[in-house]
Each structure stands twice: as structure tokens, then as C-alpha cells.
Amino acid sequence: MITRLTPQDATFYRLESSSNPIHIGSLAIVRNTDGLLDRESPLDYDRLVDLVESRLSLVPRYRRKVREIPFALGRPVWVEDSRFDITYHIRRSALPSPGTDEQLHDLVARLASRPLDQSKPLWEMYLIEGLSEGRSAIFTKTHSALVDGVGALEIGHVILDASPSPRGLADDAWVAPREPTDVELLVGALTHLAAQPREALEVARDASADAFAMIGAAGRAVDSVVSAVRTAAIGAPDSPLNARTSRSRRFDVVRTDLDDYRKIRHRFDCSTNDAILAVVTGALRNWLLSRGEALIESTTLRAVVPMSVYVEGPDRDRLEPASEVSSFLLDLPVGEPNPVMRLSHIAHATEANSKARRGVRARTLVHMAGFAPASLHAMSVRAASTFAEHTFNLVITNAPGPQTPMYIGGARMLEMYPVSPLLRNQASSIGITSYDGRVFYGLNADRDAMADIEVLAAAVHESMEEMLGACA
């Protein structure tokens, strides 16, 4: 099966560079051997391979690779990989037992630094063994061009189960097909261009422009984002968060309790998302102060905050998953010393930006078939990457997850962290996911520009204490 990449898919595929790999990562910590309940099973490499292989029919694009059209006469296409080898994509690693969380984060940072092999299907999965307390980790990398939220979902959608007993599926009858030759791809592209003159003009335009020129042709979703960008009168404030990125990364995590955000929400009559953004703002303020940055009350950082949306069904009573995610620019009041005032500023700004659309509630998303937060993070990154780089300082993605235990191959998932990519000249990204009563932060950062990422992680807890103190 040959499918042409959409304009937006092609944009993300071509944005890839050695210093800016555009893949979305997801880190899951599972209970493996020690402390297993009677109904839980250990997860090993063979079991994981069998599980993923049995679910690939639900995400068929994970068996497809990208092929360029000869002479660049059209957008690249997805083709079935005739040499698909699942053991190439699912890999095994181990920490020196008992491995610490810090060693795991260092390994994730190294894995996240490496671009995906563009001659293969654009994903990798690592089973990382040897963690202390009988735990293992599963780290997944998926190129942002692959996950569009409609035709392709992130693989986390299909390997998670709501019970220790993996759900059964019909046998997968997939057989590796013959790949098209370059001549066949060229003939197909010429035939398509003859029938679509507008795309022929697009090809001619792209021939003399760099990859960023394609953003203008990325379709309705991108047009709406670009329109929002034009409303920004000035660029983003100067910040150490904007720097040329290297090829290396740092990664750290933060674990917080969902009940703490609910306390803030109930005390100040705001949304949980507002409470999370207020905590992030306080953390960024403390981090800037630790660097000796001069802050005045009006100092802000501008974040791209992707906002998911849902649409009403034909009967207007039924909600359906949205096929796109919108984003807006939010000025975080890092100069404001009062945590309650910071929250007030954020709540007013998010309300103003949400009047034209309805946000996805956690309950709505959890009940969407096969929902997993990684897909929403991937869609959020796609939306955020269409903003001009000078208009924002960082990207914050926030995806609600299931509030009941989930399992991977019978092993209970304990924690889950997003690992969002760094966009061009962005020194850090903050991904946030709620799961099973906790809120987990994944902090991905450039190794050179953010050597103090652990300071930002500690500042999240300090900011939370500030907000909870204001609730008293």
C-alpha cells in the first residue's frame, strides 16, 4: 500500500536534523519481578516483542517507511517495509543492577539524542532492565511525522491494557509485500501531479525553498495556527531558554500528586490545567532566579501551550475525538512574586483563549477507545512546531491520562513520562501527563544550554509548596 504523506507530515519529516530530532518519546516504568501480585506477570524481552507484534495491525503505519519520490517530484510516500524486522525496532538494554533513576534518566537522554533511521519505519522501543526494586522501563521513540491522531496513533495506544490479562486480538495476516521501484514511484507521482495541478505548483515552489517553506501549505490546521501567530505583535522575551541546541540531551523527571492540583483548583475556582501551569510558572521563576536573572514584576516567558479540542457528533449530544490540536501563546508571569496573582493571570489568559473552543476533559479522553497520552503529546508537538521560532520561549504539553492502573504485557505500569522533542533553538521542553492519581513531568533539555535541569526539577516542588501554602 502506497500513501502520500500529507503536507504537514512532510513538513515534520523534513524538519529533522542531527541536532533537532523530531521524535516524541514516552517513558513507562513498570513493576517487573519483585513485589508482583498474584495476578501480575513479569515482562521480559520476548514477551514484549510478542505483545507489540500482536498489536501492529492496529497501527499499520508502524510497518511502513518513508520513500522519497525521484527528482523530488512530489511529497514522499509511506510504503510497506518489505524487510520489516520487529527485533530491529524493539531493543533491549540494561542498567548495572540495581540501577538508579538517575542512571535511567541519563540513558533516556542518550537515546532521545539519536535521530531515527529514516531508511526504516520511524520508531524504536527499548526494554530497559535492571532498575532497582524489581522495576523495568520501556522507552519508545516515534517520529512526529508518523503520528497524526487520525490515520496513525502512537503505539502506546495499543500496548496498554486495563487489566493484567492482555486483551485478545484476531490473528494478523500481514505478509511483507514487494516494495515499489523508483520508476513506479516516479510514474505514480507524475500521474498524481497531472490530476492535481495545485500540487504541481507546490512542488515547483518547494524546489527553491527550504523545509520551512512547506508550512504555508500545511493545510487547514496549520493555517489556523499561523493566523494566531500573526496576532503576536512582538517576539518572545529574551530568555536562556532560547539557545542553539547541540546533539546531546539531558532528561529529568518530577512526580507530583494530582490531589494537590485539585486542592488549588477548589480553593481558587480554576481549572486543573491552570493550576499545573501556575506551578510550572513558579518553577521557571525560581529557576531563573537561581541563574541570577534580573526579574521585575512585568517579566514574562512566552510558552506555546497546545490545547486539545473535541468536536460534537452529528446528533450534537455525542462527543467524538478531534483530529487536530490547536495551540495558543501564553505569557507566563514569572516576574510576579505572588503565587495567587500568577494563577490569576494564567486563568484569565487561558479562559480568553478557550472561548472559541471547548477543551478536552480528562474523562472524555480516558473513555476514547484505546486512549494513551503519548498520541496527544505528539499531536501537541505538531501544532506547536508550526509557530515561528522567535515567537515563543518553550513548549509545554499537558495530556491527561487514565486514573486507573494500566498494564503492559501483564506488568503494572507505575509511572509514565512524556519526552517531548526540542524544537529549533529551544533549550528545553516540558511534557506533563497525569496517571493513576499522580502528575508526571518529563523535562527534556539541551545538554549544554541546560546543565542545571535538576534545578528546574527541584523548583517544581518548591513552586507546589508555594501554591499549597497560599491555599491554607
Side-chain angles (χ1 to χ4, degrees):
M1 179 179 179
I2 301 176
T3 306
R4 196 171 307 279
L5 271 67
T6 67
Q8 195 176 21
D9 290 343
T11 296
F12 295 114
Y13 180 71
R14 291 169 176 165
L15 283 177
E16 183 94 352
S17 71
S18 59
S19 59
N20 285 99
I22 310 296
H23 51 249
I24 189 75
S26 180
L27 176 66
I29 311 297
V30 300
R31 180 187 289 121
N32 197 0
T33 53
D34 296 344
L36 281 174
L37 300 179
D38 290 341
R39 67 178 184 276
E40 295 175 337
S41 304
L43 181 69
D44 58 20
Y45 178 78
D46 291 337
R47 188 182 182 96
L48 181 61
V49 170
D50 289 344
L51 174 67
V52 175
E53 192 165 34
S54 71
R55 306 286 173 89
L56 282 179
S57 60
L58 302 176
V59 281
R61 195 177 284 183
Y62 275 70
R63 286 196 182 108
R64 298 171 188 164
K65 62 183 180 180
V66 176
R67 287 274 302 275
E68 294 279 2
I69 302 298
F71 310 111
L73 290 177
R75 295 189 301 271
V77 294
W78 297 105
V79 301
E80 301 282 346
D81 183 5
S82 62
R83 298 183 178 180
F84 179 77
D85 178 4
I86 195 169
T87 60
Y88 173 86
H89 295 275
I90 303 180
R91 305 174 183 188
R92 189 174 190 175
S93 187
L95 300 173
S97 183
T100 65
D101 288 355
E102 289 73 19
Q103 290 172 322
L104 173 64
H105 302 158
D106 286 343
L107 176 58
V108 169
R110 291 197 297 273
L111 296 176
S113 302
R114 303 173 187 169
L116 293 162
D117 183 350
Q118 294 194 345
S119 70
K120 308 277 188 184
L122 297 172
W123 66 281
E124 296 171 357
M125 181 180 291
Y126 295 81
L127 175 64
I128 304 171
E129 300 169 305
L131 273 172
S132 61
E133 302 176 359
R135 299 169 300 155
S136 294
I138 298 173
F139 177 60
T140 304
K141 295 163 53 176
T142 300
H143 200 288
S144 294
L146 193 156
V147 180
D148 63 9
V150 185
L153 303 175
E154 204 274 338
I155 200 166
H157 272 82
V158 299
I159 66 171
L160 282 172
D161 290 294
S163 73
S165 300
R167 63 189 187 276
L169 294 172
D171 291 338
D172 183 7
W174 184 82
V175 176
R178 181 184 69 84
E179 289 187 27
T181 65
D182 284 348
V183 172
E184 289 171 330
L185 290 178
L186 181 59
V187 170
L190 292 173
T191 302
H192 179 76
L193 291 176
Q196 302 288 337
R198 182 175 297 179
E199 289 198 22
L201 293 175
E202 178 186 317
V203 170
R205 182 177 67 250
D206 293 340
S208 59
D210 61 25
F212 293 98
M214 286 198 67
I215 291 177
R220 179 171 54 86
V222 175
D223 288 342
S224 63
V225 174
V226 172
S227 176
V229 171
R230 289 171 180 163
T231 65
I234 58 175
D238 291 336
S239 166
L241 289 169
N242 299 111
R244 185 179 297 276
T245 53
S246 67
R247 297 187 178 188
S248 300
R249 299 288 181 263
R250 296 181 188 272
F251 181 70
D252 209 340
V253 307
V254 181
R255 308 171 187 87
T256 59
D257 291 323
L258 183 57
D259 280 344
D260 288 338
Y261 299 97
R262 288 170 173 160
K263 292 176 184 176
I264 299 169
R265 183 190 70 191
H266 291 147
R267 174 65 179 81
F268 298 106
D269 191 26
C270 64
S271 70
T272 302
N273 186 59
D274 291 339
I276 290 174
L277 289 174
V279 170
V280 171
T281 302
L284 290 168
R285 169 183 167 81
N286 294 337
W287 172 73
L288 289 169
L289 290 173
S290 76
R291 285 199 164 199
E293 294 287 326
L295 302 180
I296 59 175
E297 192 170 323
S298 61
T299 301
T300 61
L301 288 177
R302 182 169 294 168
V304 176
V305 182
M307 181 169 60
S308 50
V309 297
Y310 57 74
V311 296
E312 293 180 332
D315 57 9
R316 302 188 63 81
D317 292 325
R318 181 168 55 89
L319 297 177
E320 297 176 348
S323 61
E324 61 188 56
V325 171
S326 63
S327 296
F328 63 93
L329 296 172
L330 180 66
D331 287 335
L332 305 177
V334 294
E336 173 57 62
N338 187 319
V340 178
M341 291 302 297
R342 290 198 294 265
L343 175 59
S344 178
H345 288 310
I346 289 168
H348 281 93
T350 56
E351 181 181 8
N353 280 282
S354 63
K355 284 182 177 178
R357 54 180 64 88
R358 300 166 65 185
V360 175
R361 298 175 298 162
R363 181 176 299 175
T364 303
L365 285 173
V366 167
H367 286 87
M368 289 180 182
F371 171 74
S375 285
L376 189 54
H377 282 289
M379 294 166 67
S380 297
V381 169
R382 287 166 68 98
S385 66
T386 59
F387 281 84
E389 64 182 80
H390 69 278
T391 61
F392 64 98
N393 300 116
L394 80 161
V395 176
I396 302 172
T397 64
N398 179 15
Q403 296 308 308
T404 56
M406 302 295 286
Y407 299 82
I408 302 176
R412 179 169 176 168
M413 184 170 66
L414 306 175
E415 305 167 15
M416 59 189 312
Y417 301 94
V419 188
S420 297
L422 303 186
L423 302 182
R424 188 176 180 183
N425 294 327
Q426 306 297 310
S428 182
S429 65
I430 300 177
I432 305 166
T433 287
S434 59
Y435 164 65
D436 198 18
R438 306 291 296 277
V439 178
F440 299 104
Y441 291 66
L443 309 179
N444 193 23
D446 181 76
R447 189 168 188 84
D448 296 334
M450 290 283 288
D452 55 350
I453 188 64
E454 73 282 352
V455 175
L456 178 58
V460 173
H461 293 294
E462 296 170 4
S463 180
M464 176 61 80
E465 291 175 4
E466 278 188 289
M467 289 301 308
L468 292 177
C471 290

